[in-house]
Amino acid sequence: MINRIVLVGRLTRDPELRKTTSGNAVCTFTVAVDNRTKAQDGTKTTSFIPCVVFSASADNVSKFARKGLLVGIEGRLNQRSYVKSDGSKASVIEVLCDSVQFL
C-alpha cells in the first residue's frame, strides 16, 4: 500500500511550535491549496490541509515560515481520534510532513 502526499500551497497563519514532554519539537500549520474543480458559479475552491512536522524541521518551519508563505510539502496522511473535553469523540486527518520546502 502507498500513503504519500505532495502539496504546494500557502500557510494560512503563522506556524505553532510546541515541545513534547520528552523535549521533541512539534510544529503545526495549515496549508491552503487551490482545487482543480470550481464552484458552480465558476469561482475557485480551496482546501485547507492541517500539517504536522517534527524535530529539527519543526524548529526550522517555526523560525522561518510565516502566514502567506508558499511551501512544498511531502509526507503521508494520518488519521487520529480523540475525546474532546465535552466527552464527544472527534477525528482528525492531517499530513505528517517528511519534508517542507520554502518556495
Side-chain angles (χ1 to χ4, degrees), residues 25-38:
V26 179
C27 186
T28 58
F29 55 94
T30 302
V31 175
V33 179
D34 289 339
N35 297 322
R36 289 182 140 194
T37 58
K38 295 186 178 193

Side-chain angles (χ1 to χ4, degrees), residues 34-84:
D34 289 339
N35 297 322
R36 289 182 140 194
T37 58
K38 295 186 178 193
Q40 287 184 344
D41 63 359
T43 58
K44 286 185 184 178
T45 59
T46 304
S47 294
F48 298 92
I49 314 293
C51 301
V52 181
V53 63
F54 300 95
S55 302
S57 294
D59 289 327
N60 286 335
V61 169
S62 70
K63 194 180 299 185
F64 299 112
R66 295 290 171 253
K67 178 181 177 177
L69 179 70
L70 187 66
V71 293
I73 295 170
E74 278 187 83
R76 61 190 186 280
L77 284 178
N78 183 55
Q79 181 179 13
R80 61 184 170 87
S81 300
Y82 64 96
V83 178
K84 293 183 180 180

